[in-house]
Each structure stands twice: as C-alpha cells, then as structure tokens.
C-alpha cells in the first residue's frame, strides 16, 4: 500500500503480532498486497500541572504505592501541611518523644482538616500523626535512598523528556518498620552519636541490634555498592559484636563506573569486594567488614561452611543471576536465615523478603524462562538487529577464540585430543576438526597480507555467497509444504552485498577482521593497515573465486532445531580422514607453534573487538534490509549488558534496608513485611505482603519448607527408623544425594539396620565428608498408618 510510505506516523488499533488496523480512511489507497515493515513511533504527551498553591488545596489523585493503605496519602498530605505550620510558628521540628509537640501537630492537622472543605479527611488517625511528629526531625538513610532514586529519575525525565513524569503528589511511609514493642521515651534520647537521628525514630535498643548484626552481603556490583553505603550509614555491623562479610569474584570494569559509585577510574582491574569494602570503611570507620573474592556456590562450601552460615544474622543478596540467587536461597532455607532479595532492570526494580517460617522462599516461584530466538532464525532468517548481533557475537567467538583454542588443545596433546574426537564421533566433533584443519592449512596466515586475504574472503562468504546459496535454495517465490509463501512475515528476503573498497563500512570490517586474525597468529600489524587508502590497495590484490550454488545444500528451517551440524552416517570415516590430514599439517608446523585465542572484551575501544562484531552485524543487517546500529548500541546488545541505572538501584536498596529494620527487630508478623515491584519510568509502585509458606500437617505435627528435622548422637539406621516410627511415620526409602541407603523392597538392605548411617553414607554412597562437616542430610520417603505418602522435611544427622 504505497500511500503509507510517506514517513508520517499513523494511529493504529487491533494490533496482533503480524497485523493491525489503520485508524484512517483508506478507500482511495491502492490495494494492500502483502508484507511490509513498520516501526513503532511513540508520540509525545502533554501534561498540565497545577501550581503548588492550587495543588495543596486540591491535590487530585495520588500515586499509590501500597494498596493496603489506599486512605493513607490524603492523611500524609494533611500531616505535611500541619508540619509546615508547626515549623513556621515555632521555628523548629517536633522533638522525638515529645508528647506536647505531637499533640500540637495533631491539633494543627485537625484545624487544617476542618477548613479543607471537599478535601476533608474522615479519620485523621492521631496514632499515625504521633509517629509522624516523633520522626519529623530525623533524616533516615533508607528513606533518603528510596526517595533519592525516585527524585533522581524525575530529574532525568525533566532533562531528557523520556518516560512519564510523576504527576503531582506521591506519599510513601513505612510505619511497619518501627519496633513492635512499646519503648520507654528514654530509649529515643540522643546519645551524641552519628546515629542519633535513627535512634530518635527506632530507639537505642534496635540501634544496638543493628551494630551487633552479623551480615552477609553477596555481590559487590551496582546493588552491592549501594547496600554497603546504606549499611555503613545505618551503623550495621559497626559494634563490637558485629561483622559484615562481602564477597564477589568479579573485578572492576570501565562500564561499571556509571552506577557502581564506590569505584573510581584508578580501581579498574581491582577486585570489586576489596575496593567496595575500603570505600565503605571510609564512610564509617567503625564498620567491621571482611572482603572475600569467592563465588558463593557448592564449590566454596569449605569457605562458607556450616559454622559461617549458622553464625549469620541475615543475608542480603546483591546478585545479577538467578542460579546464584537460588543457591543462596537454599542455604538460607537450610540454615533458617532471613534473606533480603532484590534486583533491577533499567528503571524497574523489585524486592522480596524471605523470612524463616513466615514467608515462602525465593525459589518457590519462578519467572518463565526468557524466549530465545530459534537457531535457524539467527543463522538464516534474522528479522531484527538483535538476531544479527547474536549471530555476530557467536561468529566472533568461533573465529578468534574457540577455533584458536581448539588448535592449541590439539597441538598440546594430539593423541589425547584426536582420541576424544574419535570417541565422540558426532557431527559437532567433525565440524570442530574441519575448523582446526582450515586454520592450519588453507587459512593459515604467515603475513599480514594473508590476514587481509582471509578477511576479504570472509566478507564474501558471509555477506555474498551464503546469501546467494540461501536465495538459490529458497527463491523469492518459494512456497512452504502447505502452499503458503516461504518468505512471509517475519522472514525478510535477503540480497547479497557487492564488496566495494569505496564503502567505508566494508573496508572497516576487513581492517578489524585482519587485525584480529593477525593477533591470533602472532603477526605484527603494520601501521599502514589503519590507513583506508593503503588498506584498500592491499584488499584489491585479493583474488575472489566465483561462487557456484550447490543443489544439495541443507539449510535449517526448523525453529525447534538446537544445532546446525547435521549428522551423517559416515561421520566416523570423515573424522578419521581429518585426523590424518591434521597430522600431516602438524609435521610441517614450526616447533612450538601456538595460536593466541582472543577473549571478547567490550570495554576496550582500541582492541577492534566491537568493531568486528558491529561490522559483522551491520553487514548482515544490510543483507536483510534491517536498520543498522552504531558501535555503542552494538556493544549494549552483543556485550549482553543488563541495563542498570543508579536511580532504580538506590530505590531497591532503600526499600530493602527499611525491611532490614524489621528483620533485626525480630518481632514483626508476615503482614508487616513488604515485597515491592516498582517501575520508575511509568511511574508505578506495587507493594504487597509476602506469601506465607505452604503448611503440611500430620497428626498433631505441622511443618513447612523452612523446617529441618535434626537427629543427633550418630544414630544407626534402625534408630533413625524408630525415631520416625515414634512420629507415626513408616520409612520405606532413605537416600543421600542420588544414592539409596535403604529401601524396604530389597531384603539385603535389612542387613544394614545396625550400621551407623554415617558409615553407610561413606561406604555405600562413596561420599567423603570433609573435616569441617559435622552432619549430613538424608531424604526419607515415608507413609502414615493408612499407607498415604507424607512429605517430610530433610533429616539432618549429626555424627560428631
């Protein structure tokens, strides 16, 4: 429909994945035939804000954060007006714990409310206003972090015009964070310390608990830096009994500096946890902090052993991947430790409280897995730049990292390497050997001109020959087995590129590819290689063979296919032939010849890594008429950078630290805790009580996922079974890990009844229990007296 090609934005409705309806009269337009490519255009929106004087009297709708407090914003709106009046009349804020000041503020609020006309609040809630008065003077770090994130994002919106501004008023409170016990007014008196503001709200008893806490912060990136700053300012782990352990196995990269604010330029390459711990100690010299560089996982249970976990007060996750979160969750579940979980993605953030016996654990609910583009789409039918960049990153790794590494593996131990390939005998092994042979034979480079030849032929292969083969196998008018057009949305019909030294992007691709190829072969790069005119002269010397499409070429079109390597009946014979050729090549190589594999590093703008990836992706995008991207956008997608900004990170950590008050106070119920999802871009806030754990009942007993049954004094198998029998449970199967220690179906297992369970674990399960381990777990399958299966908690058996 050619009338739509005038570039004007048009309103649409009834949108589906591959169709929509136009909101305009198209009776005089040409008939719509098929296909077409559209781009979404976000239109600006005009908002009319009231002046402050008007808005105070008529605030309109408030942005809600917690739907269980839908009546709270009007009350807080009134409270802040009363506070302004109090300060203007008396010249100071109400004093914490002063009933006189609180009553004065309540009477002022009552007076303002009575004269508010239509905006009058039904119940002014004197108890809440009393809390408000007591805390009015204090500046609390978690509230500053939470509101700082929100206000920071609003400033960014005002400067950039991006995202929807907060419309008029937003009020937030966390009254639930206050201690549950009634405290004596003397508890709130200042102690002439840096924590006096916090003490005036929460009392000196809770302050002591904060200072003596033994906390474990897992991760020292964007969230970790914010947490350390907050915890240091709150005085957490700053007392004689306190200790804060932080661990992160990562080092500081340049791209971290935009949001991981405890790091500076001169820290690049240093351990994150060490630098962050030093910076936090400068914020509060009393902070008792230990920085480790260990990844938290099953392989480091000798570092983070039973004693370590048992001594913790709480755990704060500051991680960037689900698997590590799930492992920490399992450890907290096992040792019954509170876990404060959070995460961010761009302007979005979420927090989740995992509290022993009160809430479900983190792993109880999972997000659906992210949809990955099918392999055939990425390799042959891309329809967006993400597909092109995914392919480019994969090709980069294959060309300059994996293949050189395979070459070195072969040359280091040819016999062992070829035996392993022979044993596998599959299509993947065949393809790997072909790449290794190509690298050492046809495509071996000895001069920089060889590298240029290789890069120029790669261009031809990727962006001309492969496309010619694809459109030979599937012409533009090809049909599927059902008769539908093969090249229908979302597939885009491609066009081969004609190489030209006049095109800067073609030449830049050859330059980046030849420089990296030279690096893998240890060939020095001449200065002229970076001069377009001289490079063009060298490229023009390359003889490019004419391409002939093959009739028998197999191109994968199955979206469920997981590999592009097609197995063949004669794979084993081909592998043997390749091994013979490789051996002949090896004999001709100089003694000690090795290649240099190149690991992708996105943050060095001088290493040509992103130049090659952006070149690969953009040339491929050009094949398929997909809009190209600059190097920065390419780095973002190919570098798999999770969008992170300081605003949502500050907000998430502030919200978590408000929950930490509750955790360390220890007297709160599940309805006092809050899980939060927030999107600062919209803006949207959704706070809710955590979900309680599922309860299992048997006779007069009940338990949840948090429970672990403990049996001490190194029992025998018979004693374990009798112990369960006393609870009305018949054990018919007992296992440790994947090994069966006892099953009632096997008569010979009865011979084990008087053996110590620890001996069965060592001998039958072949488990070596390390010296630091004092117990092990068994999983027991039980049934009740009526033969019904009963899910019981894991049983921990202490043997020393």
């Amino acid at each position: 429909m050619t009338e739509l090609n005038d570039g004007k934005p048009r309103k649409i409705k009834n949108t589906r994945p591959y169709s929509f309806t136009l909101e305009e009269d198209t009776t005089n337009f040409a008939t719509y035939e098929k296909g077409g490519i559209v781009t979404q255009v976000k239109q600006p929106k005009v908002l009319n804000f009231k002046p402050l004087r008007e808005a105070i009297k008529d605030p309109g709708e408030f942005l809600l954060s917690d739907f269980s407090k839908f009546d709270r914003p009007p009350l807080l709106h009134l409270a802040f007006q009363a506070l302004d009046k109090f300060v203007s009349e008396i010249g100071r804020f109400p004093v914490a714990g002063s009933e006189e000041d609180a009553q004065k503020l309540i009477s002022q609020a009552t007076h303002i409310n009575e004269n508010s006309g239509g905006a009058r609040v039904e119940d002014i809630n004197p108890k809440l206003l009393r809390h408000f008065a007591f805390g009015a003077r204090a500046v609390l770090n978690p509230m500053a972090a939470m509101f700082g994130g929100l206000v920071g994002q609003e400033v960014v919106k005002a400067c950039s015009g991006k995202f929807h501004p907060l419309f008029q008023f937003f009020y937030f409170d966390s009254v639930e964070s206050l201690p549950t016990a009634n405290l004596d007014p003397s508890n709130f008196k200042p102690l002439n310390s840096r924590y006096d503001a916090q003490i005036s709200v929460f009392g000196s008893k809770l302050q002591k608990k904060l200072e003596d806490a033994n906390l474990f912060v897992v991760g020292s990136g964007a969230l970790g830096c914010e947490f350390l700053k907050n915890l240091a300012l709150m005085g957490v782990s700053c007392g004689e009994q306190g200790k804060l352990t932080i661990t992160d196995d990562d080092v500081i990269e340049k791209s971290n500096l935009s949001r991981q604010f405890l790091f500076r330029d001169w820290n690049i390459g240093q351990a994150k946890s060490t630098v962050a711990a030093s910076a936090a100690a400068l914020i509060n010299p009393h902070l008792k902090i230990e920085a480790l560089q260990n990844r938290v996982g099953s392989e480091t249970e000798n570092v983070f052993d039973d004693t370590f976990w048992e001594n913790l007060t709480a755990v704060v996750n500051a991680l960037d991947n689900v698997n590590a979160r799930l492992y920490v969750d399992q450890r907290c579940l096992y040792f019954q430790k509170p876990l404060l979980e959070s995460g961010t993605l761009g302007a979005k953030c979420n927090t989740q409280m995992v509290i022993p016996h009160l809430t479900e654990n983190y792993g109880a609910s999972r997000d659906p897995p992210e949809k990955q583009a099918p392999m055939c789409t990425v390799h042959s039918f891309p329809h967006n730049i993400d597909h092109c960049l995914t392919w480019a990153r994969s090709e980069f790794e294959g060309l300059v990292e994996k293949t050189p590494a395979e070459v070195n593996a072969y040359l280091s131990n040819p016999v062992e390497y070829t035996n392993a390939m022979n044993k596998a005998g599959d299509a993947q092994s065949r393809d790997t050997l072909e790449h290794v042979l190509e690298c050492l034979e046809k495509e071996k480079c000895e001069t920089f001109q060889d590298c240029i030849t290789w890069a120029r032929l790669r261009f031809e292969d990727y962006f001309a020959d492969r496309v010619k083969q694809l459109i030979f196998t599937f012409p533009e008018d090809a049909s599927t087995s059902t008769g539908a057009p093969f090249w229908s949305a979302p597939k885009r019909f491609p066009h081969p590129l004609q190489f030209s030294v006049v095109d800067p992007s073609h030449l830049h691709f050859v330059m980046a590819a030849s420089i990296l190829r030279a690096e893998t072969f240890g060939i020095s790069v001449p200065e002229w290689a970076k001069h377009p005119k001289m490079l063009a002269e060298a490229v023009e010397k390359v003889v490019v063979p004419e391409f002939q499409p093959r009739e028998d070429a197999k191109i994968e079109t199955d979206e469920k296919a997981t590999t592009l390597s097609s197995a063949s009946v004669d794979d084993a014979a081909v592998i043997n032939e390749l091994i013979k050729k490789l051996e002949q090549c090896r004999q001709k190589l100089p003694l000690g010849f090795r290649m240099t594999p190149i690991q992708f590093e996105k943050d060095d703008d001088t290493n040509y890594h992103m130049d090659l990836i952006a070149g690969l992706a953009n040339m491929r995008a050009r094949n398929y008429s997909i809009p190209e991207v600059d190097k920065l956008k390419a780095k973002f997608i190919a570098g798999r950078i999770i969008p992170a900004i300081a605003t949502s990170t500050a907000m998430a950590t502030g919200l978590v630290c408000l929950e930490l008050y509750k955790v360390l106070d220890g007297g709160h119920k599940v309805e006092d805790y809050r899980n939060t999802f927030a999107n600062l871009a919209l803006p949207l806030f959704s706070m809710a009580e955590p979900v309680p754990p599922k309860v299992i009942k048997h006779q007069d007993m009940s338990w949840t996922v948090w429970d672990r049954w403990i049996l001490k004094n190194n029992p025998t198998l018979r004693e374990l079974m009798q112990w369960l029998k006393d609870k009305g449970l018949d054990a018919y199967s007992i296992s440790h890990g994947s090994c069966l220690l006892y099953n009632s179906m096997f008569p010979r297992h009865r011979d084990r009844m008087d053996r110590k369970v620890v001996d069965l674990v060592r001998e039958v399960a072949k488990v070596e229990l390390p010296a630091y381990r004092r117990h092990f777990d068994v999983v027991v399958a039980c049934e009740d007296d009526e033969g019904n299966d009963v899910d019981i908690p894991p049983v921990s058996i202490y043997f020393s």
Side-chain angles (χ1 to χ4, degrees):
M1 195 179 271
T2 52
E3 289 83 358
L4 300 180
N5 298 337
D6 55 10
K8 290 179 187 171
R10 288 177 154 80
K11 277 198 170 186
I12 62 165
K13 59 185 180 182
N14 303 334
T15 51
R16 294 192 174 93
Y18 304 115
S19 69
F20 56 80
T21 305
L22 284 162
E23 274 196 13
E24 64 180 281
D25 182 9
T26 58
T27 47
N28 296 324
F29 288 15
T31 307
Y32 171 69
E33 291 174 28
K34 63 169 186 175
I37 294 161
V38 296
T39 306
Q40 183 184 13
V41 180
K42 290 191 177 179
Q43 296 292 86
K45 181 179 178 181
V46 175
L47 294 171
N48 294 307
F49 287 83
K50 293 176 187 174
L52 180 61
R53 188 185 302 280
E54 217 177 285
I56 285 175
K57 291 176 185 170
D58 181 16
E61 278 193 31
F62 297 97
L63 175 64
L64 268 179
S65 64
D66 188 334
F67 288 98
S68 68
K69 302 177 181 176
F70 68 92
D71 56 347
R72 189 68 55 83
L75 182 56
L76 292 174
H77 186 67
L78 176 65
F80 274 99
Q81 290 176 71
L83 181 65
D84 277 349
K85 199 166 191 314
F86 184 103
V87 173
S88 63
E89 284 182 10
I90 298 178
R92 60 169 174 81
F93 284 101
V95 174
S98 167
E99 292 293 346
E100 187 187 336
D101 282 3
Q103 286 309 314
K104 185 166 181 60
L105 186 131
I106 291 167
S107 67
Q108 283 172 331
T110 306
H111 178 71
I112 295 166
N113 190 43
E114 285 168 354
N115 296 301
S116 293
R120 193 169 177 275
V121 175
E122 288 299 316
D123 176 16
I124 65 162
N125 195 338
K127 186 181 175 185
L128 185 81
L129 289 177
R130 183 170 168 273
H131 283 314
F132 181 87
F134 285 3
R137 182 190 290 259
V139 176
L140 298 175
N141 164 263
M143 291 295 271
M146 183 270 172
F147 275 108
L150 177 64
V151 173
Q153 190 68 55
E154 292 304 310
V155 171
V156 173
K157 291 175 188 177
C159 296
S160 65
K162 190 172 173 67
F163 303 141
H164 196 291
L166 175 64
F167 195 64
Q168 305 287 186
F169 288 102
F170 172 67
Y171 288 101
F172 170 79
D173 75 86
S174 184
V175 177
E176 307 79 28
S177 294
L178 294 172
T180 49
N182 288 321
L183 298 173
D184 189 86
S186 62
N187 221 270
F188 301 102
K189 283 186 177 171
L191 303 176
N192 197 24
S193 77
R194 67 184 293 169
Y195 314 118
D196 279 354
Q198 196 162 254
I199 289 168
S200 73
V201 176
F202 294 97
S204 52
K205 277 187 182 175
L206 182 54
Q207 184 60 44
K208 180 81 167 67
K209 288 180 181 178
L210 290 171
E211 290 175 32
D212 289 342
N214 188 345
L215 221 63
F216 185 27
V217 178
V218 190
S220 184
L223 285 164
C225 282
E226 284 282 349
F227 275 126
L228 281 189
K229 174 263 292 178
N230 291 356
L231 297 170
L233 290 169
M234 291 163 69
V236 175
S237 305
C238 292
E240 289 301 316
Q241 308 296 317
K243 185 181 179 184
L244 194 156
T245 306
I246 184 159
T247 191
D248 195 314
D249 67 341
D250 203 3
V251 295
I252 297 160
E253 296 177 17
K254 190 176 183 180
S255 62
N256 300 151
L257 302 180
S258 67
R259 62 198 179 282
Q260 299 176 20
F261 72 103
L262 296 183
F263 309 144
R264 297 290 179 267
D265 281 6
W266 54 86
N267 299 131
I268 291 170
Q270 296 173 18
K272 282 187 175 180
S273 58
T274 310
V275 174
S278 302
L282 289 173
I283 294 171
N284 190 335
H286 293 107
L287 183 63
K288 307 286 191 303
I289 187 164
E290 181 183 9
L292 303 174
Q293 284 85 48
N294 302 91
R295 183 185 292 264
V296 179
S298 53
E299 67 279 5
T300 54
E301 285 181 8
N302 60 324
V303 179
F304 307 110
D305 57 17
D306 295 3
T307 307
F308 174 82
W309 286 98
E310 285 164 357
N311 289 333
L312 292 176
T313 313
V315 179
V316 177
N317 262 356
L319 289 159
D320 60 359
N321 70 90
V322 172
N323 288 339
R325 285 184 167 107
L326 289 170
Y327 175 81
V328 174
D329 176 55
Q330 284 303 309
R331 294 274 89 188
C332 289
L333 202 58
Y334 190 83
F335 291 100
Q336 303 187 13
K337 299 297 175 185
L339 171 64
L340 291 83
E341 172 61 59
S342 57
T344 69
L345 181 71
K348 292 182 267 195
C349 69
N350 73 287
T351 67
Q352 181 180 348
M353 299 306 108
V354 178
I355 312 298
H357 306 289
L358 291 183
T359 74
E360 67 176 13
N361 62 310
Y362 171 78
S365 56
R366 304 266 186 102
D367 289 335
E370 279 187 37
K371 284 184 85 174
Q372 299 283 338
M375 195 168 281
C376 66
T377 300
V378 170
H379 283 267
S380 299
F381 310 109
H383 51 86
N384 62 42
I385 196 66
D386 289 40
H387 297 154
C388 299
L389 280 158
T390 301
W391 172 83
R393 172 79 188 262
S394 171
E395 288 301 313
F396 176 94
E397 287 174 354
L399 293 172
V400 301
E401 183 182 358
K402 288 179 183 170
T403 302
E406 289 289 341
V407 167
N408 291 350
Y410 166 68
L411 295 175
S412 299
N413 198 329
V415 176
E416 190 179 308
Y417 184 86
T418 52
N419 284 346
M421 290 294 178
N422 253 325
K423 188 176 178 183
D426 56 6
Q428 197 173 345
S429 302
R430 180 200 68 210
D431 290 353
T432 301
L433 286 170
E434 281 174 353
H435 291 144
V436 171
L437 183 62
E438 279 175 357
C439 223
L440 295 178
E441 191 183 47
K442 284 189 293 183
E443 296 182 354
K444 185 171 182 290
C445 297
E446 294 178 352
T447 66
F448 191 73
Q449 182 63 46
D450 291 342
C451 299
I452 288 173
T453 302
W454 175 85
R456 172 65 184 89
L457 294 177
R458 275 285 157 192
F459 183 100
E460 200 67 20
D461 173 43
Y462 283 145
F463 312 119
D465 297 352
R466 292 191 191 186
V467 176
K468 288 173 186 173
Q469 180 65 62
L470 183 62
I471 59 182
F472 176 81
T473 307
F474 301 110
E476 196 165 4
D477 58 358
S479 301
T480 64
S481 55
T482 60
F486 180 84
W487 294 103
S488 55
K491 288 191 183 83
R492 293 172 176 237
F493 186 74
H495 302 279
L497 299 186
Q498 179 69 46
F499 183 85
S500 168
V501 291
V502 180
D503 188 322
S505 55
H506 291 195
L507 207 56
H508 196 73
F509 168 84
V510 172
M511 179 178 74
S514 54
I515 287 171
L516 291 175
R517 184 68 168 178
E519 193 179 324
T520 62
F521 277 97
I523 297 166
S524 59
V525 178
E527 198 54 44
W528 56 263
K530 295 167 189 177
H531 293 275
K533 192 177 176 187
M534 297 172 82
L535 180 64
E537 288 170 7
V539 173
E540 285 182 320
K541 294 176 188 172
V542 179
V543 179
V544 179
E546 195 176 332
F547 175 72
Q548 289 296 328
R550 286 166 42 214
E551 294 279 355
D552 61 343
K554 185 180 186 313
I555 296 170
E556 188 60 72
T557 58
D558 182 5
E559 292 196 352
K560 292 175 183 168
T562 55
T563 176
L564 297 175
S565 302
S566 49
S568 165
V569 287
D570 56 354
D571 275 344
V574 172
I575 286 171
N576 277 325
E577 190 57 37
L578 288 167
I579 288 170
K580 282 180 194 170
K581 288 181 180 176
L582 267 174
E583 185 54 33
Q584 291 165 10
C585 268
R586 191 173 70 86
Q587 303 294 345
K588 298 173 191 172
L589 291 172
L591 199 65
F593 173 83
R594 293 289 185 277
M595 291 186 72
T596 307
I598 298 170
Q599 280 198 319
F600 175 56
E601 171 48 65
K602 65 183 182 296
D603 290 326
D604 181 352
D605 291 334
T606 64
N607 63 11
Y608 289 94
H609 295 192
M610 278 314 307
D611 297 79
L612 179 55
I613 286 176
L616 282 163
N618 282 332
M619 294 304 100
R620 188 167 177 78
R622 207 172 286 184
N623 279 141
Y624 288 87
S625 307
I626 294 167
E628 296 170 35
V629 288
D630 59 24
K631 203 163 87 171
L632 189 67
K633 182 73 189 284
K635 180 198 282 195
F636 181 78
I637 300 168
R640 294 166 194 156
I641 297 171
I642 295 170
I645 45 178
T647 51
S648 54
T649 310
M651 168 170 265
T653 57
L655 290 168
V656 168
C657 289
L658 286 169
E659 299 299 309
L660 184 63
Y661 288 130
K662 304 171 191 177
V663 169
L664 297 181
D665 178 56
H668 289 76
K669 298 173 184 173
V670 67
E671 53 266 29
D672 294 329
Y673 287 95
R674 290 291 182 272
N675 291 347
T676 304
F677 170 78
N679 187 338
L680 291 173
L682 297 176
L684 166 105
F685 299 89
S686 175
M687 304 182 86
E689 287 174 26
V691 178
K694 181 186 171 188
V695 178
I696 298 168
K697 293 184 177 179
H698 169 69
Q699 293 179 356
D700 59 346
M701 296 183 293
S702 65
W703 59 86
T704 69
V705 69
W706 284 102
D707 288 290
R708 175 163 60 103
W709 289 352
I710 293 170
L711 183 56
K712 296 188 174 178
N713 302 322
N714 198 13
T716 62
L717 187 58
R718 189 185 303 279
E719 287 167 342
L720 167 60
M721 292 178 73
Q722 184 58 48
W723 182 73
L724 291 164
K725 187 81 177 163
D726 295 343
K727 296 177 184 290
L729 297 163
D730 282 320
Y732 61 83
S733 177
I734 300 170
S735 57
H736 176 77
S738 59
C739 186
L740 203 58
L741 303 179
Y742 170 81
N743 192 295
S744 57
M745 291 173 63
F746 302 119
R748 58 193 175 84
H749 280 194
R750 293 192 187 119
D751 299 341
R752 300 174 178 174
M753 294 296 281
D754 294 313
R755 302 280 311 277
K756 296 282 188 188
V757 184
V758 67
D759 295 334
L760 294 177
V761 166
R762 285 176 174 141
E763 293 166 29
V764 179
K766 301 282 190 291
V767 170
E768 285 186 31
L769 294 165
Y772 59 82
R773 180 61 47 83
R774 305 194 313 276
H775 74 276
F776 58 88
D777 294 345
V778 289
V779 175
V780 185
C782 295
E783 54 188 22
D784 60 18
D785 298 336
E786 294 171 7
N788 300 313
D789 275 347
V790 181
D791 285 332
I792 70 166
V795 179
S796 289
I797 294 176
Y798 281 73
F799 56 90
S800 67

